Amino acid sequence: MVNYAQDAAAAEETVAEIAAEGGQAIAVRADVADEEAVAALFDRAEKEFGGVDVLVNSAGRLALSPIADLDLDVLDSLHRTNIRGTFVTAQQAARRLRPGGSYVAFSTSVVGTQFPAYGAYAASKGAVEAMTLILARELRGRDITVNAVAPGPTATDLFLEGKTDEEVARLAKVPPLERLGTPVDIAHVVAFLASAQGHWVNGQVLRANGGMV
C-alpha cells in the first residue's frame, strides 16, 4: 500500500517500481491526520492483501524559522501532520497489526543536534519519539516491534527545499562521513527494522545520520 497526500504521480511511480521488482502494490490517497481516512486505508489493505504486517509512517512537514518568528498557523499545520498524523497511524497500528509485525515512525536527528530554526520541527519529532517508546511498551506480549528512525541531513526534496547550495554543502560536512544521507540509506534502515532480522530491536530511536552526535 503506497499512501500519498498530494503527489499521485510519485505514488504511481513507486507502485510501478514495486511491480517491476515482482511485487504487488496499489496507491491510495489519505491524510494521515484524518482518523477515518487512515482507518479506510487499513480496511483497504486488509481487503487487498489479507492483513497488515508493517506500517511505515514517513509523512512529515518541515518549517524552518526562529521560534520568535514562526507563524502559529504554520506551527499548527506542521504539528497536525507530524504529531497527530503519527498518533492516528500508531493508533490503527496498535489495533490492527498482526503478530510478528512492525511499526516504524520517523523522527529527526535534530532532536539531538538542536540546530537553530528547527524548533517547531524538532518539538514535533520529540513527541514522535515519546509516542514510539510508550507504544512499544503498551504492545507488550503482542510480538509487534515499534521503533523510530531519526535521519540526519538527507538529500530529499523536503530537506533541500529553501536551502542555498552553500547551506547544503555546509550541512553535508557535519557528519563524520562528510556527505548527505540518501533516501536509499534510510530505506535500508527501515527495511531492517521491518524484517525478521531486525525483530529483536524494539522501543528504540535509531539515529541514521552518518555519525552526528
Side-chain angles (χ1 to χ4, degrees):
M1 297 286 290
V2 180
N3 169 233
Y4 68 97
Q6 302 294 336
D7 197 342
E12 292 295 346
E13 182 180 342
T14 302
V15 167
E17 290 176 357
I18 293 169
E21 293 293 328
Q24 292 180 303
I26 55 175
V28 180
R29 182 174 182 176
D31 175 357
V32 292
D34 181 335
E35 62 272 30
E36 293 183 1
V38 173
L41 191 67
F42 272 76
D43 290 342
R44 183 76 181 276
E46 290 172 350
K47 178 182 178 181
E48 298 285 345
F49 300 107
V52 181
D53 298 297
V54 177
L55 176 63
V56 178
N57 182 7
S58 59
R61 291 179 182 267
L62 172 65
L64 298 180
S65 170
I67 290 172
D69 301 331
L70 183 65
D71 184 314
L72 294 182
D73 288 339
V74 174
L75 177 71
D76 290 343
S77 177
L78 185 151
H79 281 191
R80 185 177 190 279
T81 297
N82 294 3
I83 297 178
R84 181 184 171 90
T86 298
F87 196 96
V88 168
T89 59
Q91 189 173 63
Q92 287 296 320
R95 294 170 179 173
R96 300 167 75 165
L97 282 180
R98 296 189 288 196
S102 300
Y103 175 77
V104 182
F106 265 72
S107 181
T108 172
S109 288
V110 178
V111 172
T113 58
Q114 301 160 2
F115 292 153
Y118 282 82
Y121 183 65
S124 72
K125 294 304 188 176
V128 169
E129 294 190 6
M131 281 187 271
T132 297
L133 301 181
I134 290 171
L135 183 61
R137 285 148 182 81
E138 290 180 346
L139 297 187
R140 173 184 290 274
R142 295 269 304 277
D143 191 28
I144 295 169
T145 63
V146 183
N147 295 288
V149 177
T154 305
T156 64
D157 292 341
L158 183 69
F159 171 79
L160 297 172
E161 183 178 359
K163 293 183 175 69
T164 65
D165 291 343
E166 291 77 14
E167 288 172 326
V168 171
R170 176 177 56 80
L171 289 168
K173 290 292 186 181
V174 174
L177 294 180
E178 293 193 341
R179 68 170 177 86
L180 295 179
T182 69
V184 171
D185 290 327
I186 306 306
H188 284 319
V189 175
V190 173
F192 169 72
L193 291 174
S195 72
Q197 290 79 13
H199 204 66
W200 190 234
V201 181
N202 187 33
Q204 304 298 318
V205 178
L206 203 163
R207 306 218 180 279
N209 60 25
M212 293 169 58
V213 177

